[in-house]
Amino acid sequence: MRSRGPRHLLALERVARAESDARRRALHDLLMQIPAALSIQRGPEHVYELCNPLFQKLVGDDLVGKTFREAAPTVITPGLAEVLDRVYVTGKPFIGRAVPLLHQRDAEDTAEEHFLDGVIQPIRDRAGTVQGVMTFAFDVSEEVRARRHAEHLAAENARLLEIAEQECVRAEEANRSKDVFLATISHELRTPLTAIVGWTRLLRDGMIPADKTARALEIVDRNAQALARLVEDLVDSSRIASGKLRIDRRPALLAPIVEAAIEAVRPLADAKGVRLEQSLDPAAEADIDAARLLQVVWNLTTNAVKFTPSGGVVRLVLAVVDASLEIGVEDNGQGITPDLLPHVFEPFRQGPEAPTPRGGLGLGLAIARHLVELHGGRISVESAGQGCGTRFTVLLPALTRSVEVPTTTAA
């Protein structure tokens, strides 16, 4: 047998090298066709050795031969370099789900956001020493965006559903309040009408003795006035709802107006045994509609007397506070429960269903608030709870000019 010479060995070496190169090319072609973003980086500086097209699409072109940090200016995801360092040093792979990747190809371009599922795997030699890292990732941006969009829609739908449920509750409460209001109107109108019709018939038929005629006429007159006030409240409420309620404001002293309201309520207070007290600043002046402000003070004072027991006190205060005028109506009556307090000035909320009913049609305080606001002022209410009394406070802008005023005597 003829021995193999150097030429034969050289030929075998060339064949082996060719086969190795072919396998390398085949492996390279295979890696480049993998349907995932793949890169191989060598050494502690993470020098790119291989990047397939999907990786280049995510990160950028011309990466081979560059370190990760040289390419990093285009990859603006914080913490990624530290992850590569940790995998290289510890030899432990990193597995990530929906990892955000921001890539800016040009300083003037908007950064592109991607989300990746993948692994960063250490590359070891035959001795087990880590030589580099391999990144293998799938772009799941569309899935993440779709999931986030679905979560946003679900959250938005939940928000809209909550709003709709709240509106339904409010609508139901409004309908109940209006039903109560209509029932209250029926009762409040029927009561004085029944008295007027009944006593008028008795007078017409001559069934009232002469010595009791004056008393009968007094009852008819009182109920007619009560009926007139109910109708006025309804008319004012309608004007407020349509925006047609107007006031005629002129400079005026407030003490005579407050005194007039007190005198109008005094018969009711005397009949109940409620004492009226007042402390009025005679110099308090404002630009007001006197008739409408009288309506406000009368309403507040009437409410206070109505819900103050016999032996109680209702106190009215008129004072200048800084650049405002303060009218306070305070009683030591039954007070207002905390759950009703925020709704005192709302229409239809004072009917018989209220925890601490204020009586009437439930329109007086709503009208009073509107009238005060038309004057550029504000009205508020305070009460520590049931049995602790109530204080209503009206604040109006004061006139700053000086006027000569008469002296008033406190009752």
Side-chain angles (χ1 to χ4, degrees):
M1 178 182 291
R2 298 176 58 184
S3 62
R4 296 181 179 181
R7 290 183 178 180
H8 180 70
L9 294 176
L10 185 61
L12 290 175
E13 184 179 348
R14 284 199 297 268
V15 171
R17 188 183 301 114
E19 291 177 351
S20 177
D21 289 344
R23 285 195 296 270
R24 286 176 180 272
R25 285 194 298 272
L27 179 60
H28 178 274
D29 292 343
L30 178 63
L31 294 177
M32 298 298 280
Q33 295 176 48
I34 288 177
L38 180 135
S39 73
I40 295 176
Q41 296 152 270
R42 295 287 182 177
E45 297 298 321
H46 314 301
V47 178
Y48 285 103
E49 182 179 282
L50 181 142
C51 303
N52 73 351
L54 289 179
F55 189 90
Q56 294 179 57
K57 183 179 179 181
L58 287 173
V59 179
D61 303 325
D62 302 324
L63 296 175
V64 174
K66 294 180 181 180
T67 68
F68 173 79
R69 286 176 172 81
E70 288 175 337
T74 65
V75 182
I76 53 179
T77 300
L80 188 54
E82 288 73 13
V83 172
L84 293 172
D85 291 339
R86 186 167 64 252
V87 172
Y88 184 84
V89 171
T90 65
K92 296 180 179 180
F94 167 81
I95 300 175
R97 298 289 184 185
V99 177
L101 177 75
L102 292 175
H103 174 230
Q104 191 170 17
R105 295 184 180 276
D106 188 272
E108 297 180 356
D109 290 343
T110 303
E112 299 175 5
E113 184 179 43
H114 297 273
F115 297 91
L116 306 177
D117 282 353
V119 61
I120 301 177
Q121 178 74 32
I123 300 174
R124 303 176 186 273
D125 59 16
R126 292 188 177 184
T129 304
V130 176
Q131 300 295 315
V133 297
M134 178 179 67
T135 301
F136 190 85
F138 291 95
D139 189 350
V140 293
S141 302
E142 292 302 321
E143 292 89 335
V144 171
R145 293 191 184 103
R147 184 173 68 250
R148 289 185 173 181
H149 181 64
E151 291 172 351
H152 172 74
L153 288 179
E156 182 65 13
N157 288 338
R159 187 184 69 86
L160 293 176
L161 178 60
E162 182 180 359
I163 292 175
E165 290 174 347
Q166 292 173 352
E167 290 299 324
C168 286
V169 170
R170 280 194 286 267
E172 290 173 359
E173 290 178 350
N175 285 333
R176 282 196 298 269
S177 297
K178 289 179 181 179
D179 289 342
V180 171
F181 171 68
L182 292 175
T184 304
I185 285 181
S186 176
H187 170 75
E188 294 288 338
L189 293 179
R190 188 184 299 114
T191 299
L193 279 174
T194 300
I196 293 171
V197 171
W199 283 96
T200 301
R201 285 179 177 174
L202 291 175
L203 288 169
R204 182 192 60 190
D205 295 340
M207 300 178 65
I208 302 296
D211 59 339
K212 294 184 179 180
T213 299
R215 174 61 176 163
L217 291 174
E218 180 184 343
I219 294 173
V220 170
D221 180 67
R222 184 171 66 248
N223 282 276
Q225 291 183 32
L227 183 61
R229 284 194 296 271
L230 291 173
V231 173
E232 287 171 3
D233 279 353
L234 288 171
V235 172
D236 283 345
S237 179
S238 175
R239 288 172 178 169
I240 290 172
S242 63
K244 295 180 179 179
L245 185 62
R246 299 288 184 266
I247 61 173
D248 181 15
R249 297 170 62 180
R250 297 180 183 179
L253 296 170
L254 270 64
I257 296 172
V258 176
E259 288 178 334
I262 292 172
E263 292 308 313
V265 179
R266 191 175 296 282
L268 174 62
D270 291 343
K272 286 198 65 178
V274 174
R275 188 170 74 256
L276 295 177
E277 295 182 353
Q278 64 188 70
S279 176
L280 310 181
D281 185 341
E285 185 186 24
D287 194 19
I288 59 168
D289 184 321
R292 288 300 187 179
L293 186 61
L294 175 61
Q295 181 180 352
V296 170
V297 180
W298 176 88
N299 183 287
L300 297 179
T301 309
T302 301
N303 270 344
V305 171
K306 189 183 300 183
F307 296 97
T308 299
S310 178
V313 178
V314 173
R315 180 175 176 79
L316 283 84
V317 176
L318 171 62
V320 179
V321 180
D322 297 329
S324 299
L325 296 181
E326 177 180 307
I327 302 174
V329 180
E330 183 174 1
D331 65 67
N332 58 357
Q334 68 182 50
I336 304 175
T337 54
D339 53 344
L340 178 61
L341 199 60
H343 307 290
V344 163
F345 296 107
E346 296 177 9
F348 316 133
R349 296 302 293 262
Q350 310 305 319
E353 89 289 3
T356 308
R358 305 300 287 181
L361 297 179
L363 295 176
L365 293 178
I367 294 171
R369 180 185 65 175
H370 190 77
L371 290 174
V372 171
E373 290 175 351
L374 285 178
H375 282 85
R378 65 180 186 274
I379 185 171
S380 61
V381 60
E382 301 171 72
S383 179
Q386 195 158 10
C388 298
T390 305
R391 177 181 171 86
F392 285 89
T393 302
V394 174
L395 291 177
L396 299 172
L399 288 183
T400 56
R401 63 185 179 82
S402 300
V403 293
E404 184 176 347
V405 297
T407 301
T408 60
T409 301

